[in-house]
Amino acid sequence: MSRIYGLMGAMDEEIELLLSAMTDVSTSIKAGITYTTGNIHGHQVVVCKSGVGKVNAAVTTQILIDRFGVEQIIFTGVAGAVQPDLNIGDMVISSTCMQHDMDVTPLGFAKGIIPYQETSEFAADPGLVRLAEQACQSLGDRYIVGKVLSGDQFVASRELVTALHQEMGGACTEMEGAAVAQTAHMNGVPFVVLRSMSDKADGSAHVNFAEFAVKASHRSHRIVEYMLGHLD
């Protein structure tokens, strides 16, 4: 039996190209989320829009696993660059994911650490990371493999950007990846998060985001399509 892949995005722009590429399509709704099953490049996939934020992302991921039996998860979309040498349009492939707004520092925990838990930084699947790297190299996209930081806030402060990079080692910041990663980790499901930089997370997003979000989504889609075309 072929493996089932879960393909996720947070916004319509991040999944519409995947939906248009699918065949043998059927849809179902659970917890207000529409899940579209079908085939892309001969692989059985479930495509869904989680909505924005960590709770939406975690619930959607758990349903993908429980109800649809997905065995690998690829989350794709846009993010704000945190690493200084990243530019708009560059890709970040997750090495790990972590919540930047998990803050129990008054009790002596480092920022991002979830108290009393074995790990708070969730590692992406090495095979999916390598395949995403191959996709970027083949398509000529600039990319790095780095830590994706997630929080329930749209980062637009230069001071916070500096802290996220210097104190937490982040490459980019967004609002869903760490929740997908933690849920996948808890269920033993391999994952990778792919983010195309739509802005510099520095207060200029009102200028950059609308203009570049669609372009960034197209870039992410090309990479996912390449990956699906080259999966074992």
Side-chain angles (χ1 to χ4, degrees), residues 3-7 69-74 125 128 189-191 231:
R3 183 174 287 165
I4 305 172
Y5 298 92
L7 309 179
V70 301
E71 296 159 90
Q72 293 193 355
I73 293 173
I74 301 172
D125 178 71
L128 290 174
V189 173
F191 77 91
L231 286 163

Side-chain angles (χ1 to χ4, degrees), residues 65 69 77 101 114 130 136 189 194 199:
I65 295 166
D101 60 352
I114 305 169
R130 283 194 298 271
C136 289
V189 173
L194 310 174
D199 63 270

Side-chain angles (χ1 to χ4, degrees), residues 8-14 33 49-60 75 78 151-154 174-177 179 195 209:
M8 301 176 62
M11 302 185 298
D12 286 325
E13 295 90 340
E14 294 168 342
I33 305 296
K49 179 184 75 172
S50 66
V52 174
K54 293 186 298 181
V55 173
N56 280 329
V59 169
T60 303
F75 191 102
V78 299
D152 284 324
Q153 61 187 117
F154 193 101
E174 37 86 298
M175 301 177 72
E176 297 85 26
R195 291 293 192 175
F209 187 80

Side-chain angles (χ1 to χ4, degrees), residues 18-120:
L18 291 170
L19 293 174
S20 67
M22 295 176 69
T23 59
D24 302 321
V25 170
S26 63
T27 62
S28 59
I29 298 174
K30 177 70 174 176
I33 305 296
T34 299
Y35 296 83
T36 303
T37 61
N39 292 281
I40 300 178
H41 293 307
H43 294 289
Q44 189 174 352
V45 299
V46 185
V47 177
C48 59
K49 179 184 75 172
S50 66
V52 174
K54 293 186 298 181
V55 173
N56 280 329
V59 169
T60 303
T61 303
Q62 191 64 55
I63 291 171
L64 276 174
I65 295 166
D66 286 345
R67 181 163 180 169
F68 297 95
V70 301
E71 296 159 90
Q72 293 193 355
I73 293 173
I74 301 172
F75 191 102
T76 180
V78 299
V82 168
Q83 188 158 310
D85 56 358
L86 279 172
N87 294 310
I88 292 170
D90 291 349
M91 292 294 306
V92 172
I93 302 166
S94 64
S95 56
T96 60
C97 297
M98 193 174 195
Q99 298 180 62
H100 69 75
D101 60 352
M102 174 61 67
D103 188 350
V104 197
T105 52
L107 297 183
F109 295 92
K111 193 168 184 186
I113 297 298
I114 305 169
Y116 320 118
Q117 187 162 291
E118 182 180 347
T119 184
S120 303

Side-chain angles (χ1 to χ4, degrees), residues 136-166:
C136 289
Q137 292 163 5
S138 176
L139 297 168
D141 288 330
R142 271 176 45 98
Y143 76 94
I144 65 168
V145 178
K147 183 190 291 187
V148 174
L149 296 177
S150 306
D152 284 324
Q153 61 187 117
F154 193 101
V155 174
S157 157
R158 288 180 175 85
E159 293 75 19
L160 181 53
V161 165
T162 299
L164 292 179
H165 178 58
Q166 293 183 353

